[in-house]
Each structure stands twice: as C-alpha cells, then as structure tokens.
Amino acid sequence: QSALTQPASVSGSPGQSITISCTGTSSDVGGYNYVSWYQQHPGKAPKLMIYDVSERPSGVSSRFSGSKSDNTASLTISGLQAEDEADYYCSSYTGSSTVFGGGTKVTVL
Amino acid sequence: QLQLQESGPGLVKPSETLSLTCNVSGGFIDSSSYYWGWIRQTPGKGLDWIGSIYYTGSTYYNPSLKSRLTISVDTSQNHFSLRLSSVTAADTSLYHCARQDILTGYSYTNWGPGILVTVSS
C-alpha cells in the first residue's frame, strides 16, 4: 500500500480559508467513505479532526470541514487562526488496513 | 477519560526484536466497538500504520511489516503489545499506540504520547 499524496506545505493569512488535498486510489480514498484527518502540533500526539470524510468529532471547531471527490479528499480550514498552525495528516481505512498521507505543514502567515 | 501509555526499551540493537506494550486506562480493551493499533512516526516522514488488533485476537498488519510483526492483546491486563523482529536503523521511530473506533469510520480517536525507539548498536 502506498502513502496517500498530500502537499508538503500550505499557508494562509489569518481569517483566510485554505484547503489541503489528499490523493489516493480507487483502492483506498475512492473506494471507501472512511477518510479521516488529524492535526498534530509539535511534540504532541495527533488529534482526530474529521472522520467519515466530513464528520467532526465533538469539540472540533466548525471551521474544519472535509469533502471527497473520486480519489481525492480535502480538508478546508475556514477563518484561519494562529492556533491552526500544525501538521495535518489524512488517512483512509480500506477494510483491513489503514494508510496515511505524508502530511502537510500549515503555516499561518 | 481514556488514556493510553506506551512502554518498553528506548534502545534496541540491530537484528534484535523490538517489544512495546500499550497500557490502557479509563476504559476496557475488550469492548466490541474498538480495535487497538500501532502507528509509528519518523521525523520528516509522517505517519506509518503498523497494524491493529481486536480484543478477540484478530490482527491486521501492514503488508510491508507482516513477516516481522506480531501484535497481541491481554484483556486481563488491559493492554496490547507489539513485537517487531530483525530490526534495522530504518525502524527507528516514535511509536504510538491508539484506539481505533469502529463507529467513527475506523478512525484513531485516542492516542498515546508515543515512545521513541532507536535502533543502534
């Protein structure tokens, strides 16, 4: 299984919206609605932000939203805030395994 | 509040076996709603799924590690373990254990802080 493809970095100014893409294949992202997104601050464990493509766990800001089209999933952060600066990882569950993306560093300018 | 904590040696010699345990507190490992997994993270290289286990003992492994990997569960001790044999420097990573929730698309909802394992002689 190959890692999902994410851009290495995305940046935006406070208040702006940014979108992170996550590209896989029909065997993972395109074949299942089990895409998740994780936020990781330096020195911390990853935190679940989105599951089932577009569902937010309790306590996660509505500024975070997810979507999917064919083999590409996306995470959008609206109203970018300084605290959103972190690494973001997508993942896809494939029925018997999980595959992660390479991660995207989000910088708030 | 569910907590997971990894434990084990921080230094392993090449060709030897890496053994880690994840202790689960604040919840029971024999719940039918969860799998329990291991994920490793190498600086600058992102997250790498190692494998997961159900409380019944059913296991799911990353194909690239399958020949060297054993994940087991001990419901009486409320912990699960990882053994990775014939390690090399490429296995040097921060190893996380995590709970995988069936009800949230098999996402990893709770993570341990991670334990750094270095493979070196």
Side-chain angles (χ1 to χ4, degrees):
Chain A
Q1 53 184 31
S2 299
L4 306 177
T5 300
Q6 298 181 232
S9 62
V10 173
S11 62
S13 299
Q16 287 186 329
S17 293
I18 62 169
T19 297
I20 304 168
S21 62
C22 169
T23 301
T25 69
S26 58
S27 297
D28 38 62
V29 173
Y32 302 84
N33 286 323
Y34 291 144
V35 175
S36 301
W37 288 90
Y38 301 86
Q39 175 193 65
Q40 187 178 34
H41 288 110
K44 301 292 187 181
K47 174 187 176 184
L48 179 67
M49 304 300 285
I50 295 287
Y51 67 92
D52 286 356
V53 176
S54 60
E55 299 296 315
R56 277 189 310 275
S58 174
V60 171
S61 171
S62 58
R63 298 186 298 104
F64 292 84
S65 61
S67 62
K68 190 185 83 165
S69 177
D70 297 327
N71 297 337
T72 298
S74 299
L75 174 71
T76 298
I77 309 175
S78 305
L80 199 62
Q81 298 181 359
E83 68 207 48
D84 301 331
E85 186 162 292
D87 293 326
Y88 291 83
Y89 296 91
C90 62
S91 76
S92 176
Y93 177 71
T94 67
S96 60
S97 66
T98 297
V99 59
F100 286 96
T104 298
K105 182 175 181 57
V106 169
T107 301
V108 181
L109 301 172
Chain B
Q1 171 127 359
L2 185 80
Q3 290 190 317
L4 298 94
Q5 182 67 57
E6 306 86 353
S7 62
L11 180 64
V12 182
K13 290 182 168 55
S15 79
E16 294 190 345
T17 296
L18 181 163
S19 296
L20 298 175
T21 295
C22 181
N23 289 286
V24 179
S25 59
F28 294 103
I29 208 166
D30 60 356
S31 168
S32 60
S33 298
Y34 308 112
Y35 286 76
W36 304 89
W38 290 96
I39 300 106
R40 65 184 183 181
Q41 183 169 26
T42 305
K45 294 189 69 177
L47 299 172
D48 185 26
W49 180 72
I50 297 172
S52 61
I53 190 165
Y54 197 52
Y55 77 95
T56 57
S58 296
T59 52
Y60 305 87
Y61 294 158
N62 186 321
S64 69
L65 298 172
K66 188 173 183 178
S67 63
R68 302 191 289 130
L69 180 63
T70 302
I71 297 177
S72 59
V73 63
D74 186 335
T75 55
S76 66
Q77 297 291 320
N78 219 43
H79 70 215
F80 61 106
S81 302
L82 171 151
R83 287 172 55 87
L84 186 65
S85 63
S86 304
V87 297
T88 69
D91 295 310
T92 294
S93 280
L94 181 68
Y95 285 77
H96 292 279
C97 61
R99 187 177 77 173
Q100 185 178 24
D101 191 339
I102 294 171
L103 300 179
T104 61
Y106 299 86
S107 61
Y108 288 93
T109 53
N110 301 82
W111 295 65
I115 182 170
L116 179 62
V117 179
T118 301
V119 178
S120 175
S121 56

